[in-house]
Amino acid sequence: MDFVRFAKRCYIITSSLFVILGAVFLFWPQVSLSVLVRIVGVALIFSGVSKLIGYFSNDPYRIAFQFDFAMGVLTCAFGFVLLLFPDGVAKYLTVMIGIFVIIESLFTIQNAIEARRFGLGKWYLLLICGIASLALGICALIKPLSATLFVTRIGGAALLFDGIQNIIVAILTVKKER
């Protein structure tokens, strides 16, 4: 199997993990935050590694993976922080998810602009996903103090949509040279 296809599969698998994790936050917000922090930490490390794999692949379009060296390193570091200090960051998890989703959304919006310049036909799907994910990330930052379950659900929705957005980015922009 070639490296681009492997990178794309890794990206889709880790994005699917975020979809599942987002669904857990969304539908079972009462799960222990300490457990969720650890799961998010592991998911972020896998995501960071898949981003690094993507960056070093020879994707001819260079749209989906163009920022993934820095994002891969930062995502891995963020994951390790969550694993090393789960109880210390548990109360800030939704805010951290919001920041993470906002950053990824901005890169998706930039990818949409690059895809349009490159002539990809469905660039507007990337733009729509990026804007919607950005809105959810911002919602995760605006947290009502008395509604912890609501905030957890918003964080879950943001993660879920971010995972879907990343799957769409991988499908539309990662191509193998023929």
Side-chain angles (χ1 to χ4, degrees), residues 55 62-69 107 110-111 114:
Y55 180 79
R62 293 274 182 222
I63 294 174
F65 302 133
Q66 65 182 326
F67 307 110
D68 279 0
F69 180 77
F107 282 130
Q110 186 170 351
N111 286 342
E114 295 296 323

mmCIF file of all heavy atoms in Angstrom, residues 55 62-69 107 110-111 114:
data_model
loop_
_atom_site.group_PDB
_atom_site.id
_atom_site.type_symbol
_atom_site.label_atom_id
_atom_site.label_comp_id
_atom_site.label_asym_id
_atom_site.label_seq_id
_atom_site.Cartn_x
_atom_site.Cartn_y
_atom_site.Cartn_z
ATOM 1 N N TYR A 55 1.530 14.471 6.719
ATOM 2 C CA TYR A 55 2.448 15.519 6.290
ATOM 3 C C TYR A 55 3.618 14.943 5.501
ATOM 4 O O TYR A 55 4.055 15.527 4.507
ATOM 5 C CB TYR A 55 2.976 16.303 7.501
ATOM 6 C CG TYR A 55 3.929 17.388 7.102
ATOM 7 C CD1 TYR A 55 3.452 18.598 6.603
ATOM 8 C CD2 TYR A 55 5.306 17.209 7.178
ATOM 9 C CE1 TYR A 55 4.327 19.597 6.194
ATOM 10 C CE2 TYR A 55 6.182 18.195 6.787
ATOM 11 C CZ TYR A 55 5.684 19.385 6.296
ATOM 12 O OH TYR A 55 6.555 20.368 5.897
ATOM 13 N N ARG A 62 -1.412 18.319 -1.798
ATOM 14 C CA ARG A 62 -0.861 19.025 -0.647
ATOM 15 C C ARG A 62 -1.863 20.010 -0.032
ATOM 16 O O ARG A 62 -1.493 21.089 0.399
ATOM 17 C CB ARG A 62 0.418 19.771 -0.999
ATOM 18 C CG ARG A 62 1.549 18.879 -1.345
ATOM 19 C CD ARG A 62 2.277 18.474 -0.089
ATOM 20 N NE ARG A 62 3.409 17.652 -0.464
ATOM 21 C CZ ARG A 62 3.727 16.577 0.188
ATOM 22 N NH1 ARG A 62 3.061 16.193 1.227
ATOM 23 N NH2 ARG A 62 4.750 15.860 -0.185
ATOM 24 N N ILE A 63 -3.143 19.648 -0.039
ATOM 25 C CA ILE A 63 -4.153 20.516 0.552
ATOM 26 C C ILE A 63 -4.478 20.058 1.968
ATOM 27 O O ILE A 63 -4.383 20.831 2.915
ATOM 28 C CB ILE A 63 -5.426 20.565 -0.317
ATOM 29 C CG1 ILE A 63 -5.105 21.235 -1.656
ATOM 30 C CG2 ILE A 63 -6.543 21.317 0.396
ATOM 31 C CD1 ILE A 63 -6.251 21.202 -2.640
ATOM 32 N N ALA A 64 -4.843 18.815 2.133
ATOM 33 C CA ALA A 64 -5.287 18.322 3.440
ATOM 34 C C ALA A 64 -4.162 18.287 4.463
ATOM 35 O O ALA A 64 -4.380 18.544 5.633
ATOM 36 C CB ALA A 64 -5.896 16.933 3.297
ATOM 37 N N PHE A 65 -2.951 17.982 4.038
ATOM 38 C CA PHE A 65 -1.861 17.757 4.975
ATOM 39 C C PHE A 65 -0.863 18.916 5.061
ATOM 40 O O PHE A 65 0.145 18.793 5.731
ATOM 41 C CB PHE A 65 -1.099 16.484 4.594
ATOM 42 C CG PHE A 65 -1.945 15.248 4.563
ATOM 43 C CD1 PHE A 65 -1.872 14.374 3.490
ATOM 44 C CD2 PHE A 65 -2.806 14.940 5.596
ATOM 45 C CE1 PHE A 65 -2.632 13.210 3.463
ATOM 46 C CE2 PHE A 65 -3.579 13.781 5.578
ATOM 47 C CZ PHE A 65 -3.484 12.919 4.503
ATOM 48 N N GLN A 66 -1.147 20.041 4.427
ATOM 49 C CA GLN A 66 -0.143 21.097 4.331
ATOM 50 C C GLN A 66 0.248 21.702 5.676
ATOM 51 O O GLN A 66 1.363 22.183 5.836
ATOM 52 C CB GLN A 66 -0.594 22.170 3.347
ATOM 53 C CG GLN A 66 -1.827 22.942 3.760
ATOM 54 C CD GLN A 66 -2.234 23.955 2.723
ATOM 55 O OE1 GLN A 66 -1.361 24.529 2.061
ATOM 56 N NE2 GLN A 66 -3.515 24.179 2.562
ATOM 57 N N PHE A 67 -0.627 21.703 6.660
ATOM 58 C CA PHE A 67 -0.324 22.299 7.966
ATOM 59 C C PHE A 67 -0.115 21.237 9.039
ATOM 60 O O PHE A 67 -0.042 21.555 10.223
ATOM 61 C CB PHE A 67 -1.470 23.223 8.409
ATOM 62 C CG PHE A 67 -1.831 24.241 7.375
ATOM 63 C CD1 PHE A 67 -3.030 24.151 6.693
ATOM 64 C CD2 PHE A 67 -0.962 25.271 7.061
ATOM 65 C CE1 PHE A 67 -3.362 25.074 5.732
ATOM 66 C CE2 PHE A 67 -1.294 26.192 6.095
ATOM 67 C CZ PHE A 67 -2.494 26.098 5.430
ATOM 68 N N ASP A 68 -0.034 19.991 8.625
ATOM 69 C CA ASP A 68 -0.093 18.909 9.588
ATOM 70 C C ASP A 68 1.198 18.621 10.331
ATOM 71 O O ASP A 68 1.172 17.869 11.303
ATOM 72 C CB ASP A 68 -0.625 17.639 8.924
ATOM 73 C CG ASP A 68 -2.131 17.670 8.829
ATOM 74 O OD1 ASP A 68 -2.735 18.660 9.270
ATOM 75 O OD2 ASP A 68 -2.712 16.699 8.320
ATOM 76 N N PHE A 69 2.308 19.191 9.950
ATOM 77 C CA PHE A 69 3.503 18.990 10.770
ATOM 78 C C PHE A 69 3.319 19.704 12.100
ATOM 79 O O PHE A 69 3.411 19.098 13.166
ATOM 80 C CB PHE A 69 4.774 19.475 10.065
ATOM 81 C CG PHE A 69 6.001 19.271 10.911
ATOM 82 C CD1 PHE A 69 6.553 18.009 11.029
ATOM 83 C CD2 PHE A 69 6.569 20.319 11.607
ATOM 84 C CE1 PHE A 69 7.671 17.797 11.835
ATOM 85 C CE2 PHE A 69 7.681 20.122 12.409
ATOM 86 C CZ PHE A 69 8.235 18.858 12.525
ATOM 87 N N PHE A 107 -8.147 26.022 9.726
ATOM 88 C CA PHE A 107 -7.343 25.344 8.711
ATOM 89 C C PHE A 107 -8.233 24.759 7.611
ATOM 90 O O PHE A 107 -7.867 24.769 6.437
ATOM 91 C CB PHE A 107 -6.474 24.245 9.330
ATOM 92 C CG PHE A 107 -5.256 24.779 10.018
ATOM 93 C CD1 PHE A 107 -4.954 24.390 11.310
ATOM 94 C CD2 PHE A 107 -4.401 25.660 9.387
ATOM 95 C CE1 PHE A 107 -3.829 24.870 11.957
ATOM 96 C CE2 PHE A 107 -3.262 26.159 10.013
ATOM 97 C CZ PHE A 107 -2.981 25.759 11.310
ATOM 98 N N GLN A 110 -9.197 27.537 5.334
ATOM 99 C CA GLN A 110 -8.058 27.834 4.456
ATOM 100 C C GLN A 110 -7.892 26.736 3.408
ATOM 101 O O GLN A 110 -7.610 27.025 2.235
ATOM 102 C CB GLN A 110 -6.778 28.000 5.270
ATOM 103 C CG GLN A 110 -5.610 28.456 4.419
ATOM 104 C CD GLN A 110 -4.410 28.864 5.254
ATOM 105 O OE1 GLN A 110 -4.484 28.976 6.462
ATOM 106 N NE2 GLN A 110 -3.296 29.086 4.591
ATOM 107 N N ASN A 111 -8.101 25.479 3.802
ATOM 108 C CA ASN A 111 -8.037 24.378 2.827
ATOM 109 C C ASN A 111 -9.094 24.537 1.745
ATOM 110 O O ASN A 111 -8.849 24.223 0.580
ATOM 111 C CB ASN A 111 -8.213 23.024 3.521
ATOM 112 C CG ASN A 111 -6.994 22.595 4.293
ATOM 113 O OD1 ASN A 111 -5.894 23.090 4.088
ATOM 114 N ND2 ASN A 111 -7.184 21.669 5.209
ATOM 115 N N GLU A 114 -7.841 27.048 -0.683
ATOM 116 C CA GLU A 114 -6.795 26.425 -1.509
ATOM 117 C C GLU A 114 -7.401 25.435 -2.514
ATOM 118 O O GLU A 114 -6.964 25.374 -3.660
ATOM 119 C CB GLU A 114 -5.771 25.715 -0.626
ATOM 120 C CG GLU A 114 -4.976 26.629 0.280
ATOM 121 C CD GLU A 114 -4.096 27.602 -0.481
ATOM 122 O OE1 GLU A 114 -3.531 27.234 -1.529
ATOM 123 O OE2 GLU A 114 -3.984 28.759 -0.024
#
